[in-house]
Amino acid sequence: MIKEFVTDCRARGLTEPTIVTYRSCCRDFLKINPEPAKVKLADLVSYLEHLRSRNLEGSTLKGYFAAIGAYYDYMVFRGAMKSNPIPAFRKRYLNIRVNQNGENIRQLISIEEMSELIYSARMILPRTMMLFLAKTGIRRGELISMDVQDLNLEKMQ
């Protein structure tokens, strides 16, 4: 199923580095959980602990579960599963930060904070890049690999 998933990723236009990462993360997950349709919450928590035991943290953990979530989305699309368990798992275990009072806080910044960040850049290139990332939602690697020829300014694409 990984081979078909990779073909699907290419058809969806994901970048080659993203596809390589997704394949690697999914293979790692499937070594421990060879029957993904039978994975329960306890299995996901156990896998998260396994990744943490390898000293992985933060964005790396989120990357693993983004890849696994994309794999489950593909399985749902193909009809091999009814639902994807990863979004709820990520929300509970990976998107929480704790402030000094012990309360959970979200990792999102406000529009005002984003505006402040963008306009704090003194030079036009970093400012433009931050604005482009914020407005389009593309990933850093996609922006870095982009050429001016990739843009159609007449059609705003």
Side-chain angles (χ1 to χ4, degrees), residues 29-74:
F29 177 74
L30 292 172
K31 282 180 194 172
I32 295 171
N33 300 285
E35 297 183 64
K38 295 183 179 179
V39 167
K40 304 286 185 220
L41 174 62
D43 299 316
L44 294 173
V45 171
S46 177
Y47 184 67
L48 177 60
E49 289 180 8
H50 164 74
L51 293 175
R52 286 190 170 137
S53 75
R54 292 169 38 191
N55 294 321
L56 302 179
E57 54 187 52
S59 62
T60 304
L61 293 175
K62 289 180 184 183
Y64 267 84
F65 282 94
I68 297 163
Y71 179 73
Y72 272 107
D73 279 342
Y74 173 71

Side-chain angles (χ1 to χ4, degrees), residues 94-151:
L94 297 175
N95 287 338
I96 296 174
R97 285 193 187 239
V98 177
N99 67 15
Q100 292 177 347
N101 299 330
E103 298 173 7
N104 294 336
I105 56 173
R106 298 187 76 182
Q107 291 181 316
L108 302 175
I109 65 173
S110 69
I111 293 172
E112 293 79 19
E113 290 171 320
M114 184 56 146
S115 179
E116 222 175 279
L117 175 65
I118 291 168
Y119 290 107
S120 70
R122 294 179 191 180
M123 300 184 74
I124 191 72
L125 182 61
R127 181 182 291 182
T128 304
M129 290 174 69
M130 286 189 284
L131 188 59
F132 197 79
L133 288 165
K135 291 284 189 176
T136 64
I138 67 170
R139 295 179 178 159
R140 177 186 52 87
E142 293 168 330
L143 177 63
I144 291 169
S145 67
M146 189 178 286
D147 290 327
V148 173
Q149 295 86 350
D150 295 332
L151 299 174

Side-chain angles (χ1 to χ4, degrees), residues 3-23:
K3 191 174 184 179
E4 294 168 359
F5 171 61
V6 167
T7 301
D8 181 70
C9 289
R10 283 197 178 97
R12 288 179 23 222
L14 299 182
T15 65
E16 197 58 33
T18 298
I19 293 169
V20 168
T21 300
Y22 276 19
R23 180 188 307 125

